[in-house]
Amino acid sequence: MTDGRLSPLATPSATREVLEAHGLATKKALGQNFLVNDAILGKIIDLAALSEEDNVLEVGPGIGTLTIALLKTAGRVVSVERDADLPAVLAQTCAPWADRFTLLNMDALDLSPDDLPFPPNKLVANLPYAVAATVVLDCFERFTSVESATVMVQAEVADRMAAKPGTKNYGAYTVKLCMYAQPAGRFSVSPGNFFPPPRVESSVIRLDRADCGLTFEERAAACRMADAAFATRRKTIANSCKTFFGGQGVAGKQILGVLPDIFAVAGIDPKRRGESLFLEEFKALGKAALPYL
């Protein structure tokens, strides 16, 4: 490239040309909205702070628009694409970097560390919006080598990822993600930057791994208590937990009797609502609940 562009595919005409050359069209069911603004690619690369030392995991590469930018700035890239029609496209668009590029044609939610050719230290992706929240949390949970995630998601998902206690977007997902990572930057992306334009606003958010100071078992317990605390959001945590564990069969019903003890040990007023609890308080709940879960 001589024009300084990060990706030759980052225009509507180039994207359309690649799709037509392979007899393809965008698939709404897979949430395919291709990025067509090279300046946005540059902002993603800058926010991710990529270098040749980085091994990148990408989910949902599409036709390779962001993939090319990643290959130009990172060391190695492994991309996971669910659409069986796209490997042939990516083999062509990413051919100049074949020695540093690996493509896995599978569902990212089925991905395991054993599937990868190397341990990635960064997730950078324009994620399929329907599974974006799940993919990010799953990545931090299962791929311990991942130090940061810089991802394009629906704006309201980014709001949930970065929400503070007491706000409408703060919920169990926020708490569980905060057990693994903390927001470290964000910018907005309007629908006009995609082909075809989505019906929602988008955001790119960076999340950096953070040590919550809990053991694996304590963190799992804290996450379960977060689910319980937000089971019925408008109720007190005591009533919400009763609803949650009451529907968990015999084992869940056994916990109902010790809920007062769990709240007492954690130092949490059971009359509060889940949305008012800070991360440290959920961690305390997890530690207190662990012997009973």
Side-chain angles (χ1 to χ4, degrees):
M1 294 298 293
T2 58
D3 61 0
R5 297 179 66 85
L6 276 168
S7 178
L9 304 181
T11 67
S13 59
T15 297
R16 193 180 295 111
E17 182 179 337
V18 169
L19 291 171
E20 290 176 353
H22 289 268
L24 301 176
T26 57
K27 297 179 180 178
K28 185 176 180 180
L30 297 182
Q32 291 179 343
N33 301 96
F34 300 108
L35 187 61
V36 291
N37 186 331
D38 202 70
I40 299 298
L41 291 177
K43 294 182 70 173
I44 293 172
I45 298 300
D46 289 344
L47 185 58
L50 291 180
S51 76
E52 294 180 355
E53 304 299 316
D54 291 317
N55 294 321
V56 176
L57 170 63
E58 181 192 23
V59 173
I63 62 173
T65 306
L66 174 60
T67 317
I68 292 173
L70 296 175
L71 287 163
K72 286 184 175 182
T73 52
R76 293 181 292 178
V77 177
V78 55
S79 299
V80 184
E81 176 56 61
R82 176 184 170 189
D83 188 345
D85 290 329
L86 291 178
V89 180
L90 289 158
Q92 181 184 78
T93 58
C94 298
W97 303 273
D99 61 325
R100 297 188 289 108
F101 175 58
T102 302
L103 177 65
L104 301 177
N105 189 197
M106 62 185 298
D107 191 324
L109 296 179
D110 296 328
L111 190 68
S112 74
D114 292 338
D115 295 316
L116 301 177
F118 53 80
N121 68 308
K122 291 183 177 179
L123 168 67
V124 186
N126 178 7
L127 292 173
Y129 287 180
V131 296
T134 303
V135 167
V136 172
L137 180 57
D138 199 53
C139 181
F140 279 114
E141 286 178 338
R142 290 196 287 160
F143 301 97
T144 56
S145 62
V146 171
E147 301 164 358
S148 70
T150 303
V151 292
M152 178 95 70
V153 297
Q154 192 171 335
E156 65 179 37
V157 172
D159 291 341
R160 289 169 59 201
M161 290 176 170
K164 301 296 183 183
T167 63
K168 66 177 183 178
N169 292 306
Y170 185 70
Y173 177 82
T174 313
V175 174
K176 290 188 281 190
L177 182 60
C178 284
M179 294 285 175
Y180 295 91
Q182 293 292 329
R186 175 180 177 178
F187 64 87
S188 299
V189 185
S190 62
N193 292 291
F194 299 90
F195 171 79
R199 296 181 179 179
V200 297
E201 293 292 324
S202 304
S203 289
V204 174
I205 185 169
R206 172 172 166 168
L207 300 152
D208 288 351
R209 185 180 290 278
D211 184 4
C212 69
L214 300 181
T215 66
F216 176 86
E217 292 78 12
E218 288 170 341
R219 183 162 53 193
C223 289
R224 193 172 181 196
M225 290 304 295
D227 283 330
F230 286 97
T232 48
R233 185 181 182 92
R234 305 312 302 169
K235 292 184 178 181
T236 65
I237 53 173
N239 287 332
S240 185
C241 285
K242 288 176 183 177
T243 299
F244 179 83
F245 288 112
Q248 298 281 306
V250 176
K253 290 179 180 179
Q254 290 177 342
I255 297 174
L256 296 180
V258 295
L259 278 175
D261 296 330
I262 292 173
F263 294 131
V265 171
I268 304 297
D269 182 353
K271 294 181 180 180
R272 292 170 61 187
R273 291 177 177 172
E275 63 191 27
S276 74
L277 270 62
F278 288 79
L279 180 62
E280 292 300 320
E281 293 177 302
F282 277 109
K283 287 160 64 173
L285 276 176
K287 290 180 179 180
L290 181 57
Y292 309 104
L293 294 179

